[in-house]
Amino acid sequence: MDAFFHFLGLIPWWLYIIIVLALIAIRDIFFNKKHIITHNFPIVGHFRYALESIGPELRQYIVANNREELPFNRIERGWIYASAKNENNYEGFGTDRDIFENNYIFVNNALLPYKVTEDHPNYKDPYFLPCAKIIGASKNRARPFRPSSVINVSAMSFGSLSARAIESMNKGCNLAHAYHNTGEGGLSPYHKTGADVVFHFGTGYFGVRDGKGGFSMEKMIALVKDNPQIRAIEVKLSQGAKPGKGGVLPAAKITEEISEIRHVPLGKDVLSPPTHSAFEGVEGLINFVEDIATATGLPVGIKAAIGKLDQWKELATLMKTTGKGPDFITVDGGEGGTGAAPPSFADHVALPWMFGFSELYRIFDEQELCDQIVFIGSGKLGFPAQAAKAFSLGVDCINVAREAMLAIGCIQAKACHNNTCPTGVATQNKWLQRGINIEDKAVRTHFYFKNFRKEFLEMTHACGYEHPCQLTMDDVEVSLGDKNLIQPLAASFGYHKVKVPFTSMKDLQECPHLGGHYKTKKEAKNVKKAKQKEEVRY
């Protein structure tokens, strides 16, 4: 044996390399039956696949310019990262955007901005920006709810996101007085760290599911009773990434924890069908919503991506005649989002948010119902200018998903669907999750929301208003691109937003239904301390 190792030691290192390459070449030529490139070009062909595997990273950091990438370009990601870190999120030397591109947003500033006086709530707390409407007030729900933040975390399930990511966002929402939508995966322990919660469920009824996979009102009542942080309930009819398509939760991904949270069996694939089994038709949906609201006392809403409009017209007509129906409607953009989906669905099914929402709003406007419904927008709206456009169109709150993921460290690796997310945000891999420092990422979520609200408020004040709900469809214009003209939103979409009842920010601050555990004096002290430490950015 010593002689054998002595012989191996006499072989020069470069000969080992040649032997390995020769073995690879033999494998490529004689045993490879799948890949043409490596068969025809042994050894060298492997470099092609290696470059392809790191292509997204090369384009993201080396090839693509600042405004080129989708869904979020480098400038957009940079603004979120800087806001979340509470760093300088300004840019210098003017805009590098093509301001003549189609649908470019122009916000019309006033000659004289709105003046914040010393007795104004935003003088002591420049981050305070609650929803102007109370969810559930128009139908006299037992526990109406005014969100303390106009920006909140959208529906993302534990399972699609990691436990540490969910917990980071929940703690961040608590610090920022925002609500956290659970997504359809059920209410997990990681949603219970302090923030207000909107409980969301879809066709799988996870978390409120009976033994046969149907909806259980008993479990819903018990869930709400045991978890007072649940402030509203959202029924998912469809989502932007894959409207009209169900999903499968493979048995291999169902841990004991997920089994307990979702009320599903271990060792079996679980189907989420494309349709609900708990009700039939539009009238059945209205009765379903009313039954849940009556049983729980909470406001109940629906979430959907927008396509055909005939059933929406039927819904609006029935709501008008019966006085019943959802307290809020969340409109998801067909652009797709955090939910993994076939490209055919994510790319082509359902309208983009701006077009879908405007069509829907017009239907409810015709029935004079807009003042009775809280409209929530969801679809890449987590930037102040996009939010200004959304509020001008008629939105009352916005939900963000991917923007919240970016705030806690997502790098847009686009690996959400294969459990290999390198940042640990969208994976169940324990090793990858360990990189998430929950306390640090919670603070980042908190600062992203607060800095967003502050900048959005400043933009609102520049338009001469106290609250974004006062923005009209003449306050925002969009470029028509091909004609090199601009038009107000009212001219482009053919309607005028219904005026939102609003008295003052002071009245919102004193509202008994204000959520988010917001305490005026406590928050004023926190802002005062932050100003002394120069943590409030101007």
Side-chain angles (χ1 to χ4, degrees), residues 269-288:
D269 292 344
V270 178
L271 173 68
S272 283
T275 58
H276 278 271
S277 61
F279 60 86
E280 293 290 338
V282 174
E283 188 173 355
L285 170 62
I286 291 176
N287 292 332
F288 184 60

Side-chain angles (χ1 to χ4, degrees), residues 162-164 423-424 427-437:
S162 68
R164 284 176 173 261
T423 61
T427 178
Q428 297 306 306
N429 183 300
K430 298 294 185 182
W431 173 258
L432 293 173
Q433 288 185 47
R434 289 180 64 183
I436 299 178
N437 182 318

Side-chain angles (χ1 to χ4, degrees), residues 28 103 108 139 143 145 147 179 182 203 218 235 252 258 305 307 333 372 429 446 469 472 524:
D28 288 342
N103 287 325
N108 294 327
K139 294 184 175 60
R143 289 180 59 197
F145 170 48
Y179 68 68
T182 64
T203 58
E218 291 74 18
V235 183
I258 290 176
Q372 301 176 30
N429 183 300
H446 146 256
C469 74
T472 72

